[in-house]
Amino acid sequence: MVQFVSVSKILDLVNKHGVETVLKGMTEYVEEDYRRWSLFDKTPRVASHSKVGVIELMPTSDGELYSFKYVNGHPKNTKEGKQTVTAFGMLADVDTGYPFFLSEMTVLTALRTAATSVMAAKHLARADSKTMAIIGNGAQSEFQALAFKAVMGITNLRLFDTDAEATEKCAANLDGKGFTITICRSSEEAITGADIITTVTADKQQATILTDNMVGAGVHINAIGGDCPGKTELHKDILLRSKIFVEYPEQTRIEGEIQQLDDDYPVVELWEVITGAAEGRTTERDITLFDSVGFAIEDFSGLRYIYDLVKQDEATQDLEMIAEPADPRNLFGLLEVKQAAE
Ligand code: NAD
């Protein structure tokens, strides 16, 4: 049987344990897997692009467990009452090849993306960071805010979205959760005084959410929204002034902000900073940029974390996804067994 975590189940789990506890725990799992990066199979995700969006498969394995995620990205969806990003994914046992855990991953993707962002910022942002601007106040935004509060103690938020209703929604969802929130009327206003800038907008085009003159020395940019060919958020000149950190260069060069740069432009792999193999920020004046696109190992960590939470919980649902004939070579015999039982 395959254990199944539905949307309702993951919401119950997160509510039961508390969203900040879950974000903290997941950040530890992501970091643990980044520390053993070399063990994993790595490949850029397999993307199927259309005029309106993308559908992707994201596989990886550490030699014992295998995982994959199905995920889409359709910026037009919200106008049709649907989400930009939806996902589901699985864990399987490498030894038998049997899948054993299937989970919704729309909520899980928001959690693991926020966990990865804050893990990067913990290693790259100035230690005295207190204020974060969030530009793009859609589905991912509250998860980002809460992860930065839970792990780094960031409680001052400056919010901006081209759609004022999105900002109102984000501010209302975060109300009473220990933040001081400033609602801003432009990106420029939002980043004033911010130590960390999170860009998490959705648009299937090369957008310029931030221009070079807006970004001062010492900030950390957590660039989440540019994650597809032809879909970026930052002006190229910001990249040229920043120290750039990426998940998996082979994928980021196709999908990230650095698609605007030459293929051999130097970037640092985040796992190297986390293991101490490479330097992160070296001065208070560095502009550090986490050019996030989302990588399969983060989904692996997220699934692993939720699987461990589910193990502590009695009420799980089993799915009959794998045929298990008594004689493994007599698959056909199952037809007759079933008919006889009816
Ligand atoms: P969403 O559609 O729910 O929200 C996006 C918000 O951006 C909307 O409220 C929209 O009004 C706003 N926006 C668009 N253009 C803007 C602009 N120029 N300035 C300010 N705001 C603007 O989408 P979401 O689920 O929150 O995802 C946001 C982005 O993050 C998407 O592009 C998605 O593909 C990406 N994403 C990346 C990762 C990752 O791992 N890096 C993970 C999940 C999502």
Side-chain angles (χ1 to χ4, degrees):
M1 287 288 183
V2 171
Q3 263 188 308
F4 176 54
V5 171
S6 62
V7 175
S8 309
K9 181 73 195 174
I10 205 162
L11 297 175
D12 285 345
L13 279 170
V14 174
N15 281 333
K16 178 173 155 190
H17 295 272
V19 61
E20 289 191 43
T21 306
V22 167
L23 283 162
K24 246 187 192 163
M26 205 172 284
T27 305
E28 283 164 19
Y29 272 52
V30 175
E31 184 152 348
E32 208 173 280
D33 288 335
Y34 262 74
R35 286 186 191 282
R36 51 193 199 109
W37 191 261
S38 60
L39 281 180
F40 284 89
D41 286 345
K42 292 174 278 293
T43 177
R45 58 187 153 199
V46 182
S48 172
H49 294 279
S50 67
K51 280 192 191 130
V52 292
V54 63
I55 296 176
E56 297 164 325
L57 286 178
M58 302 172 69
T60 190
S61 170
D62 68 351
E64 285 186 23
L65 294 178
Y66 173 93
S67 74
F68 79 85
K69 177 169 85 172
Y70 167 105
V71 62
N72 76 300
H74 284 66
K76 70 166 181 72
N77 274 5
T78 48
K79 291 197 179 66
E80 299 163 11
K82 294 187 164 68
Q83 292 186 97
T84 300
V85 177
T86 67
F88 71 91
M90 293 206 80
L91 282 175
D93 175 17
V94 169
D95 186 45
T96 58
Y98 273 33
F100 62 89
F101 187 65
L102 172 69
S103 179
E104 87 77 43
M105 289 192 76
T106 307
V107 178
L108 184 42
T109 292
L111 292 165
R112 77 75 156 127
T113 303
T116 307
S117 285
V118 74
M119 175 193 68
K122 201 174 67 161
H123 289 271
L124 297 173
R126 289 191 338 268
D128 63 354
S129 297
K130 293 204 168 37
T131 301
M132 175 158 84
I134 305 183
I135 302 172
N137 303 151
Q140 311 298 318
S141 58
E142 296 91 345
F143 295 91
Q144 290 281 326
L146 286 162
F148 277 76
K149 172 167 175 275
V151 177
M152 290 183 70
I154 303 283
T155 52
N156 291 328
L157 296 181
R158 301 180 64 79
L159 305 180
F160 171 67
D161 194 295
T162 41
D163 179 348
E165 278 181 22
T167 306
E168 273 170 38
K169 175 263 331 175
C170 181
N173 281 337
L174 296 176
D175 189 36
K177 296 201 163 46
F179 292 102
T180 304
I181 295 175
T182 308
I183 292 178
C184 304
R185 277 155 304 175
S186 65
S187 298
E188 209 151 9
E189 188 187 338
I191 68 172
T192 306
D195 307 301
I196 297 171
I197 302 171
T198 290
T199 55
V200 61
T201 66
D203 211 344
K204 196 159 168 58
Q205 63 164 349
Q206 278 189 289
T208 307
I209 309 303
L210 298 179
T211 52
D212 188 33
N213 60 336
M214 291 159 74
V215 177
V219 298
H220 173 68
I221 306 174
N222 173 38
I224 304 297
D227 61 355
C228 249
K231 175 164 168 257
T232 55
E233 295 181 301
L234 307 180
H235 192 281
K236 182 178 169 182
D237 289 348
I238 299 174
L239 310 186
L240 300 176
R241 282 170 63 213
S242 305
K243 285 192 172 171
I244 304 174
F245 301 86
V246 302
E247 291 145 315
Y248 181 57
E250 288 83 343
Q251 184 177 307
T252 313
R253 288 195 195 278
I254 301 169
E255 303 178 351
E257 296 300 325
I258 58 170
Q259 63 187 276
Q260 303 179 68
L261 305 177
D262 292 339
D263 282 348
D264 57 354
Y265 192 88
V267 296
V268 180
E269 295 189 48
L270 188 55
W271 72 270
E272 295 183 293
V273 177
I274 284 156
T275 58
E279 277 184 327
R281 166 180 296 278
T282 51
T283 77
E284 294 289 287
R285 293 189 59 77
D286 284 347
I287 298 171
T288 49
L289 164 61
F290 175 38
D291 183 2
S292 167
V293 292
F295 189 58
I297 294 174
E298 297 145 14
D299 299 314
F300 179 98
S301 316
L303 282 164
R304 206 164 62 74
Y305 177 79
I306 294 296
Y307 178 64
D308 284 351
L309 269 198
V310 165
K311 275 200 286 198
Q312 304 164 19
D313 206 89
E314 310 90 58
T316 55
Q317 199 180 336
D318 287 336
L319 290 186
E320 192 189 12
M321 276 184 64
I322 305 296
E324 291 192 89
D327 171 358
R329 283 163 304 181
N330 193 8
L331 182 64
F332 189 82
L334 282 182
L335 288 169
E336 281 167 15
V337 172
K338 183 80 175 85
Q339 206 159 40
E342 277 165 5

